[in-house]
Amino acid sequence: MTYKKNYKTNKPYVPVQVEVGQKLKLTITRMGINGEGIGFYEKKLVFVPGAFPGEKVTIKVTKVNFNFLKAELINLRSKSPDRVEPRDSYANEVGGFGLECLAYPAQLKFKQDLMRQALKKFKPAGWQNYKVRSTMGMDNPYEYRNKAQFQIREKDGKVMAGLYKEGSHDLVDLPTCSVQYPMTMTVMRKIVEFIQELEIPVFDESNASGIIKTVAVRAALNTDDVQVVFITNTPKFVKKGLMLKKISEELPQVTSVMQNINPGETSLVWGDKTVHLAGKTTITEKIKGLSFELSARAFLQLNSIMTPQLYEVAISALELTGNEKIVDAYSGVGTIGLPLAKHASEIRGMDTIEEAVADANNNARLNKITNAFYEVGKAEDLLPEWLSEGFKPDAIIVDPPRTGLAAPLIKAILKSAPEKFVYVSCNPSTLAADLVELTRKYNVDFIQPIDMMPQTARCEAVVKFTRK
């Protein structure tokens, strides 16, 4: 058998002989990017979800890789002082609660460290000297999610609504959920009750039959609007009239009911076609003194309580004088760009979702903003097009998805090199990777982590740049 050589000693590296199912003892030394505990067994990296730094644990190996092991926690031989009792019994079963056993101050410290880990991995220019600020957190890190998007399935004649267990398609019914804004759960559980009473067929993954696959409930924090979206396997929605009657009579807080059609077995939750069933086609949320109408598929930060703080950091970091032309990339419905309008001469934004762009332009009209314009398209396509037409931005703000900035967009940013530049990130790893190229022309003034999703390993951050 030929073994890889240790690059330090040039001697053959003999892999640790470990088998799936084997029980091991080790000490957790730090946390990884997904919130899992990390320890070492015979110098091999071991990932243990649910374990925290300083804890001595017994684990069972679930995966053996040449470079690492994955394992499940069997028992704690010594506990971290930061370990707490979770509010939700399913905290370690489904996504969205992974850090609920960790005291909140420790969560905030972890998210600051998460950013530092990413910088150390990708090593953008000058990364050792970046000012990574303490994480901005919530006074009450619960009941913040303004949208519940739960899978609907049936088991033993009972309709369930919830989330899948990690790495599986086993649905966990969620009758309560401490991180959800309470109104979303009130409406969700009633909808489940209606589906059960009316005996509406729910989706069966084994043969791709049934109708209701997913229910999404979004509640506006600063208005009385609630929207329900039924994501269905077919355009046909049996007993639709009876369902709408029940919603009207028993859920008067619901102001919009929509249906999204997403046929067959697919990893995508949403389909391309959305139809109006009752009430308004949108709901309205208020952010920083402006009103925003949101269609069913429109993106909005899940944490309406912290969103104004996130945007305040981003807007302040731009240090606008009122004369700037600004590009609002990955604009969504305009929730970042439109508050900037009164501080700028022109806002140009773009998004790939047509409904979101329609919402953004409508929101500009709704708020009587005349210097903001939004187009459908990819930021990496439209910004170079605008530059070729002679448009030169003085400032740019980007808020990309978890995949980060597309390479052509980075190239366009570096080509136009606006003096003022702010990056709002929801993924420390892709942010750090993007900084490798961006720091060719920009210095990083600061990175401000912001906890938009308490009880999870997710972390938002605002980066302020200064052109070199």
Side-chain angles (χ1 to χ4, degrees), residues 112 116 119 126-134 444-449 462:
Q112 182 187 34
R116 289 179 175 144
L119 294 172
W127 66 273
Q128 301 97 324
N129 300 317
Y130 292 175
K131 183 177 182 181
V132 181
R133 295 176 173 177
S134 298
V444 173
D445 289 15
F446 67 75
I447 300 175
Q448 175 64 70
V462 175

PDB file of all heavy atoms in Angstrom, residues 112 116 119 126-134 444-449 462:
ATOM      1  N   GLN A 112     -17.743  36.447  15.943  1.00  0.00           N
ATOM      2  CA  GLN A 112     -16.572  37.291  15.694  1.00  0.00           C
ATOM      3  C   GLN A 112     -15.388  36.412  15.298  1.00  0.00           C
ATOM      4  O   GLN A 112     -14.652  36.712  14.345  1.00  0.00           O
ATOM      5  CB  GLN A 112     -16.239  38.101  16.941  1.00  0.00           C
ATOM      6  CG  GLN A 112     -15.052  39.052  16.764  1.00  0.00           C
ATOM      7  CD  GLN A 112     -14.655  39.716  18.073  1.00  0.00           C
ATOM      8  OE1 GLN A 112     -14.761  39.111  19.149  1.00  0.00           O
ATOM      9  NE2 GLN A 112     -14.211  40.966  17.998  1.00  0.00           N
ATOM     10  N   ARG A 116     -12.771  35.808  11.841  1.00  0.00           N
ATOM     11  CA  ARG A 116     -11.308  35.724  11.910  1.00  0.00           C
ATOM     12  C   ARG A 116     -10.798  34.406  11.317  1.00  0.00           C
ATOM     13  O   ARG A 116      -9.749  34.374  10.669  1.00  0.00           O
ATOM     14  CB  ARG A 116     -10.855  35.862  13.365  1.00  0.00           C
ATOM     15  CG  ARG A 116     -11.041  37.275  13.922  1.00  0.00           C
ATOM     16  CD  ARG A 116     -10.610  37.342  15.364  1.00  0.00           C
ATOM     17  NE  ARG A 116     -10.660  38.716  15.876  1.00  0.00           N
ATOM     18  CZ  ARG A 116     -11.021  39.036  17.115  1.00  0.00           C
ATOM     19  NH1 ARG A 116     -11.383  38.066  17.969  1.00  0.00           N
ATOM     20  NH2 ARG A 116     -11.027  40.288  17.514  1.00  0.00           N
ATOM     21  N   LEU A 119     -10.802  34.749   7.536  1.00  0.00           N
ATOM     22  CA  LEU A 119      -9.686  35.590   7.082  1.00  0.00           C
ATOM     23  C   LEU A 119      -8.373  34.820   7.125  1.00  0.00           C
ATOM     24  O   LEU A 119      -7.557  34.902   6.204  1.00  0.00           O
ATOM     25  CB  LEU A 119      -9.584  36.844   7.959  1.00  0.00           C
ATOM     26  CG  LEU A 119     -10.751  37.831   7.872  1.00  0.00           C
ATOM     27  CD1 LEU A 119     -10.593  38.917   8.928  1.00  0.00           C
ATOM     28  CD2 LEU A 119     -10.843  38.456   6.479  1.00  0.00           C
ATOM     29  N   GLY A 126      -3.160  42.017   4.098  1.00  0.00           N
ATOM     30  CA  GLY A 126      -3.235  42.754   5.363  1.00  0.00           C
ATOM     31  C   GLY A 126      -4.226  42.211   6.364  1.00  0.00           C
ATOM     32  O   GLY A 126      -4.561  42.891   7.340  1.00  0.00           O
ATOM     33  N   TRP A 127      -4.674  40.956   6.186  1.00  0.00           N
ATOM     34  CA  TRP A 127      -5.777  40.430   7.000  1.00  0.00           C
ATOM     35  C   TRP A 127      -5.481  40.426   8.492  1.00  0.00           C
ATOM     36  O   TRP A 127      -6.394  40.575   9.314  1.00  0.00           O
ATOM     37  CB  TRP A 127      -6.132  39.017   6.540  1.00  0.00           C
ATOM     38  CG  TRP A 127      -5.058  37.995   6.784  1.00  0.00           C
ATOM     39  CD1 TRP A 127      -4.016  37.687   5.963  1.00  0.00           C
ATOM     40  CD2 TRP A 127      -4.922  37.154   7.924  1.00  0.00           C
ATOM     41  NE1 TRP A 127      -3.234  36.708   6.505  1.00  0.00           N
ATOM     42  CE2 TRP A 127      -3.765  36.351   7.716  1.00  0.00           C
ATOM     43  CE3 TRP A 127      -5.654  36.976   9.097  1.00  0.00           C
ATOM     44  CZ2 TRP A 127      -3.325  35.412   8.643  1.00  0.00           C
ATOM     45  CZ3 TRP A 127      -5.226  36.036  10.018  1.00  0.00           C
ATOM     46  CH2 TRP A 127      -4.075  35.265   9.797  1.00  0.00           C
ATOM     47  N   GLN A 128      -4.214  40.288   8.871  1.00  0.00           N
ATOM     48  CA  GLN A 128      -3.883  40.252  10.301  1.00  0.00           C
ATOM     49  C   GLN A 128      -4.224  41.562  11.001  1.00  0.00           C
ATOM     50  O   GLN A 128      -4.435  41.592  12.222  1.00  0.00           O
ATOM     51  CB  GLN A 128      -2.391  39.961  10.514  1.00  0.00           C
ATOM     52  CG  GLN A 128      -1.906  38.649   9.931  1.00  0.00           C
ATOM     53  CD  GLN A 128      -1.265  38.847   8.568  1.00  0.00           C
ATOM     54  OE1 GLN A 128      -1.694  39.695   7.773  1.00  0.00           O
ATOM     55  NE2 GLN A 128      -0.235  38.058   8.290  1.00  0.00           N
ATOM     56  N   ASN A 129      -4.287  42.654  10.231  1.00  0.00           N
ATOM     57  CA  ASN A 129      -4.520  43.975  10.824  1.00  0.00           C
ATOM     58  C   ASN A 129      -5.957  44.472  10.674  1.00  0.00           C
ATOM     59  O   ASN A 129      -6.265  45.598  11.058  1.00  0.00           O
ATOM     60  CB  ASN A 129      -3.556  45.000  10.193  1.00  0.00           C
ATOM     61  CG  ASN A 129      -2.104  44.622  10.425  1.00  0.00           C
ATOM     62  OD1 ASN A 129      -1.723  44.217  11.529  1.00  0.00           O
ATOM     63  ND2 ASN A 129      -1.285  44.726   9.379  1.00  0.00           N
ATOM     64  N   TYR A 130      -6.845  43.650  10.109  1.00  0.00           N
ATOM     65  CA  TYR A 130      -8.230  44.084   9.958  1.00  0.00           C
ATOM     66  C   TYR A 130      -8.864  44.264  11.336  1.00  0.00           C
ATOM     67  O   TYR A 130      -8.632  43.461  12.263  1.00  0.00           O
ATOM     68  CB  TYR A 130      -9.072  43.060   9.186  1.00  0.00           C
ATOM     69  CG  TYR A 130      -8.719  42.893   7.728  1.00  0.00           C
ATOM     70  CD1 TYR A 130      -9.356  41.924   6.960  1.00  0.00           C
ATOM     71  CD2 TYR A 130      -7.746  43.677   7.105  1.00  0.00           C
ATOM     72  CE1 TYR A 130      -9.044  41.738   5.627  1.00  0.00           C
ATOM     73  CE2 TYR A 130      -7.430  43.496   5.777  1.00  0.00           C
ATOM     74  CZ  TYR A 130      -8.078  42.521   5.033  1.00  0.00           C
ATOM     75  OH  TYR A 130      -7.757  42.340   3.716  1.00  0.00           O
ATOM     76  N   LYS A 131      -9.680  45.282  11.438  1.00  0.00           N
ATOM     77  CA  LYS A 131     -10.420  45.515  12.687  1.00  0.00           C
ATOM     78  C   LYS A 131     -11.740  44.755  12.601  1.00  0.00           C
ATOM     79  O   LYS A 131     -12.677  45.185  11.926  1.00  0.00           O
ATOM     80  CB  LYS A 131     -10.679  47.004  12.886  1.00  0.00           C
ATOM     81  CG  LYS A 131     -11.375  47.323  14.204  1.00  0.00           C
ATOM     82  CD  LYS A 131     -11.553  48.818  14.397  1.00  0.00           C
ATOM     83  CE  LYS A 131     -12.219  49.109  15.743  1.00  0.00           C
ATOM     84  NZ  LYS A 131     -12.418  50.563  15.956  1.00  0.00           N
ATOM     85  N   VAL A 132     -11.804  43.604  13.271  1.00  0.00           N
ATOM     86  CA  VAL A 132     -13.036  42.820  13.326  1.00  0.00           C
ATOM     87  C   VAL A 132     -13.726  43.175  14.638  1.00  0.00           C
ATOM     88  O   VAL A 132     -13.276  42.784  15.718  1.00  0.00           O
ATOM     89  CB  VAL A 132     -12.768  41.302  13.249  1.00  0.00           C
ATOM     90  CG1 VAL A 132     -14.085  40.529  13.278  1.00  0.00           C
ATOM     91  CG2 VAL A 132     -11.983  40.964  11.987  1.00  0.00           C
ATOM     92  N   ARG A 133     -14.775  43.934  14.546  1.00  0.00           N
ATOM     93  CA  ARG A 133     -15.452  44.442  15.738  1.00  0.00           C
ATOM     94  C   ARG A 133     -16.219  43.339  16.468  1.00  0.00           C
ATOM     95  O   ARG A 133     -16.492  42.274  15.908  1.00  0.00           O
ATOM     96  CB  ARG A 133     -16.421  45.563  15.351  1.00  0.00           C
ATOM     97  CG  ARG A 133     -15.731  46.802  14.785  1.00  0.00           C
ATOM     98  CD  ARG A 133     -16.767  47.823  14.329  1.00  0.00           C
ATOM     99  NE  ARG A 133     -16.162  49.094  13.937  1.00  0.00           N
ATOM    100  CZ  ARG A 133     -16.842  50.118  13.451  1.00  0.00           C
ATOM    101  NH1 ARG A 133     -18.175  50.015  13.282  1.00  0.00           N
ATOM    102  NH2 ARG A 133     -16.230  51.238  13.125  1.00  0.00           N
ATOM    103  N   SER A 134     -16.573  43.607  17.717  1.00  0.00           N
ATOM    104  CA  SER A 134     -17.420  42.683  18.474  1.00  0.00           C
ATOM    105  C   SER A 134     -18.775  42.563  17.783  1.00  0.00           C
ATOM    106  O   SER A 134     -19.286  43.537  17.218  1.00  0.00           O
ATOM    107  CB  SER A 134     -17.610  43.187  19.905  1.00  0.00           C
ATOM    108  OG  SER A 134     -16.376  43.240  20.578  1.00  0.00           O
ATOM    109  N   VAL A 444      -9.334  47.492   3.871  1.00  0.00           N
ATOM    110  CA  VAL A 444     -10.474  47.183   4.718  1.00  0.00           C
ATOM    111  C   VAL A 444     -10.399  48.050   5.974  1.00  0.00           C
ATOM    112  O   VAL A 444      -9.469  47.910   6.771  1.00  0.00           O
ATOM    113  CB  VAL A 444     -10.488  45.685   5.104  1.00  0.00           C
ATOM    114  CG1 VAL A 444     -11.587  45.396   6.122  1.00  0.00           C
ATOM    115  CG2 VAL A 444     -10.679  44.819   3.859  1.00  0.00           C
ATOM    116  N   ASP A 445     -11.368  48.956   6.131  1.00  0.00           N
ATOM    117  CA  ASP A 445     -11.393  49.829   7.308  1.00  0.00           C
ATOM    118  C   ASP A 445     -11.866  49.087   8.545  1.00  0.00           C
ATOM    119  O   ASP A 445     -11.292  49.211   9.613  1.00  0.00           O
ATOM    120  CB  ASP A 445     -12.322  51.036   7.063  1.00  0.00           C
ATOM    121  CG  ASP A 445     -11.734  52.019   6.066  1.00  0.00           C
ATOM    122  OD1 ASP A 445     -10.770  51.639   5.369  1.00  0.00           O
ATOM    123  OD2 ASP A 445     -12.233  53.153   5.983  1.00  0.00           O
ATOM    124  N   PHE A 446     -12.961  48.325   8.385  1.00  0.00           N
ATOM    125  CA  PHE A 446     -13.455  47.507   9.493  1.00  0.00           C
ATOM    126  C   PHE A 446     -14.413  46.453   8.975  1.00  0.00           C
ATOM    127  O   PHE A 446     -14.956  46.569   7.875  1.00  0.00           O
ATOM    128  CB  PHE A 446     -14.135  48.358  10.582  1.00  0.00           C
ATOM    129  CG  PHE A 446     -15.422  49.033  10.172  1.00  0.00           C
ATOM    130  CD1 PHE A 446     -16.621  48.320  10.040  1.00  0.00           C
ATOM    131  CD2 PHE A 446     -15.456  50.406   9.930  1.00  0.00           C
ATOM    132  CE1 PHE A 446     -17.803  48.941   9.671  1.00  0.00           C
ATOM    133  CE2 PHE A 446     -16.637  51.035   9.555  1.00  0.00           C
ATOM    134  CZ  PHE A 446     -17.815  50.303   9.433  1.00  0.00           C
ATOM    135  N   ILE A 447     -14.598  45.413   9.792  1.00  0.00           N
ATOM    136  CA  ILE A 447     -15.620  44.400   9.561  1.00  0.00           C
ATOM    137  C   ILE A 447     -16.497  44.359  10.799  1.00  0.00           C
ATOM    138  O   ILE A 447     -15.998  44.151  11.908  1.00  0.00           O
ATOM    139  CB  ILE A 447     -15.004  43.005   9.308  1.00  0.00           C
ATOM    140  CG1 ILE A 447     -14.096  43.044   8.066  1.00  0.00           C
ATOM    141  CG2 ILE A 447     -16.097  41.954   9.125  1.00  0.00           C
ATOM    142  CD1 ILE A 447     -13.350  41.742   7.804  1.00  0.00           C
ATOM    143  N   GLN A 448     -17.790  44.609  10.616  1.00  0.00           N
ATOM    144  CA  GLN A 448     -18.735  44.610  11.727  1.00  0.00           C
ATOM    145  C   GLN A 448     -19.652  43.398  11.640  1.00  0.00           C
ATOM    146  O   GLN A 448     -20.605  43.383  10.862  1.00  0.00           O
ATOM    147  CB  GLN A 448     -19.575  45.887  11.722  1.00  0.00           C
ATOM    148  CG  GLN A 448     -20.668  45.939  12.777  1.00  0.00           C
ATOM    149  CD  GLN A 448     -20.132  45.927  14.184  1.00  0.00           C
ATOM    150  OE1 GLN A 448     -19.542  46.899  14.628  1.00  0.00           O
ATOM    151  NE2 GLN A 448     -20.321  44.829  14.904  1.00  0.00           N
ATOM    152  N   PRO A 449     -19.397  42.337  12.430  1.00  0.00           N
ATOM    153  CA  PRO A 449     -20.343  41.217  12.464  1.00  0.00           C
ATOM    154  C   PRO A 449     -21.643  41.648  13.140  1.00  0.00           C
ATOM    155  O   PRO A 449     -21.627  42.395  14.122  1.00  0.00           O
ATOM    156  CB  PRO A 449     -19.609  40.160  13.307  1.00  0.00           C
ATOM    157  CG  PRO A 449     -18.178  40.594  13.339  1.00  0.00           C
ATOM    158  CD  PRO A 449     -18.217  42.082  13.256  1.00  0.00           C
ATOM    159  N   VAL A 462     -20.829  43.626   7.885  1.00  0.00           N
ATOM    160  CA  VAL A 462     -20.703  44.809   7.028  1.00  0.00           C
ATOM    161  C   VAL A 462     -19.222  45.166   6.946  1.00  0.00           C
ATOM    162  O   VAL A 462     -18.550  45.278   7.977  1.00  0.00           O
ATOM    163  CB  VAL A 462     -21.497  45.998   7.588  1.00  0.00           C
ATOM    164  CG1 VAL A 462     -21.250  47.250   6.737  1.00  0.00           C
ATOM    165  CG2 VAL A 462     -22.988  45.675   7.633  1.00  0.00           C
TER     166      VAL A 462
END
